[in-house]
Amino acid sequence: MYIFLDPLCSACWDLQPIIRKLQVEYGQYFTIRTVLSTQLNKLNSFCNKQNEQILKSKCDFSDLEHPVLPSIAVKAAEFQGKRAALRFFNKIQEHLFLKTKNVTSFSVLIDLAKEVNIDVDEFTIDFQSKECARSFQNDLSITSEMQVTSFPSIVFFNENIEDEGIKVSGIYPYEIYVQILQEMLYEEPQKQQPPTLEKLFNRFHSLTTSEIACYYNISEQQAERELKKRLLLQEVERIVLQDTILWRLK
């Protein structure tokens, strides 16, 4: 599965629980390649705005602010591992859509990198590197080659290279993605049992009560009771962000 995301796209945030559920229930059947992109007008304005000094390692990025920066920053985080990059991506969206921080600011992105335990010195070097620029350019090339023009989009491929991929733009009910998976496999996929709550947190870093209830097929009230037990044991922490409550391992 190629998943095309723009960190600043609200629909990409809405897609996250669906992708996570697919991973929990049918993750044995597919791998995910996340492709970061941005609207072309954002990229063009960034390129026009910055002069050659912005590409030099001695340039001070602390005051830099632009909508394309989160995508480049996630690519820089990938140099410290895909899990670190995923945690960083989720943290960016968390603060963006809960309106707690301006994630288009490089100084804020540095703060978020610290929150998810990314090595900030290495991150800053990678952000300015040619390797990071090439990595982001590669994602843009894949986006163009697969004719993806809106976010989020998912392109499904199977192991038969002669079969065409199936592109799905936008967000649909969860059952639609399971049906596409079945079509690509030529058989009905077998749902696997969810992992332990600890493994879920280790994988996704932070989860909502509704997500946990959905994975374990229990009510939100039951999920909250279980989470509160763990809260009392100081195994998890509860983060209140506006109207959303997130849980994560302490």
Side-chain angles (χ1 to χ4, degrees):
M1 287 170 54
Y2 283 76
I3 303 179
F4 295 83
L5 302 173
D6 178 349
L8 301 187
C9 169
S10 60
C12 294
W13 168 259
D14 296 333
L15 179 68
Q16 178 178 265
I18 294 174
I19 298 301
R20 286 179 169 182
K21 189 176 181 183
L22 276 175
Q23 289 177 289
V24 168
E25 296 188 341
Y26 301 107
Q28 71 272 34
Y29 292 107
F30 62 87
T31 57
I32 289 177
R33 165 72 157 90
T34 300
V35 182
L36 291 176
S37 195
T38 188
Q39 297 294 341
L40 191 59
N41 61 337
K42 293 180 189 175
L43 186 62
N44 287 340
S45 67
F46 179 70
C47 294
N48 292 334
K49 182 180 178 181
Q50 311 308 320
N51 58 34
E52 292 182 359
Q53 292 298 316
I54 208 71
L55 300 176
K56 294 183 178 179
S57 59
K58 294 182 180 179
C59 180
D60 180 13
F61 281 75
S62 58
D63 296 328
L64 191 59
E65 184 176 321
H66 195 277
V68 80
L69 294 186
S71 293
I72 299 173
V74 174
K75 297 307 295 182
E78 282 186 358
F79 288 94
Q80 297 186 43
K82 292 195 178 295
R83 284 201 171 195
L86 179 60
R87 290 197 309 270
F88 185 51
F89 181 91
N90 290 340
K91 182 63 67 175
I92 289 172
Q93 292 212 306
E94 202 175 281
H95 283 291
L96 172 67
F97 298 115
L98 299 176
K99 298 180 180 177
T100 54
K101 290 186 179 179
N102 174 18
V103 300
T104 65
S105 163
F106 185 72
S107 60
V108 169
L109 291 169
I110 289 290
D111 291 339
L112 300 188
K114 292 176 184 175
E115 284 189 34
V116 294
N117 298 319
I118 285 175
D119 185 311
V120 171
D121 291 336
E122 185 179 335
F123 170 79
T124 304
I125 292 170
D126 289 332
F127 182 89
Q128 302 172 66
S129 69
K130 292 180 180 179
E131 289 78 13
C132 180
R134 279 196 291 266
S135 181
F136 185 49
Q137 181 59 52
N138 184 54
D139 278 16
L140 295 176
S141 296
I142 293 172
T143 302
S144 177
E145 287 169 11
M146 294 194 185
Q147 299 179 339
V148 172
T149 56
S150 62
F151 309 103
S153 290
I154 302 177
V155 181
F156 293 80
F157 290 102
N158 61 21
E159 293 181 343
N160 188 348
I161 59 174
E162 295 181 358
D163 288 351
E164 290 187 5
I166 297 177
K167 181 168 67 176
V168 182
S169 297
I171 300 178
Y172 294 87
Y174 177 74
E175 292 73 22
I176 297 297
Y177 299 96
V178 176
Q179 182 181 336
I180 294 171
L181 188 61
Q182 180 175 338
E183 290 177 12
M184 300 303 290
L185 293 169
Y186 297 111
E187 63 181 24
E188 185 175 351
Q190 299 301 307
K191 186 186 298 185
Q192 60 185 354
Q193 292 298 312
T196 64
L197 195 53
E198 288 75 16
K199 288 183 178 178
L200 273 179
F201 276 118
N202 283 328
R203 185 172 190 177
F204 299 129
H205 191 58
S206 60
L207 295 160
T208 64
T209 307
S210 60
E211 283 183 289
I212 293 168
C214 181
Y215 299 150
Y216 293 104
N217 195 27
I218 58 177
S219 69
E220 288 193 30
Q221 290 77 10
Q222 287 175 294
E224 183 139 0
R225 281 199 297 270
E226 179 60 33
L227 288 162
K228 284 181 176 178
K229 289 179 190 175
R230 293 170 182 263
L231 182 65
L232 290 172
L233 294 171
Q234 297 188 337
E235 295 176 353
V236 300
E237 57 182 341
R238 185 173 182 263
I239 303 127
V240 180
L241 298 171
Q242 289 197 348
D243 298 328
T244 300
I245 295 175
L246 296 174
W247 304 84
R248 65 184 177 204
L249 291 181
K250 199 162 185 179

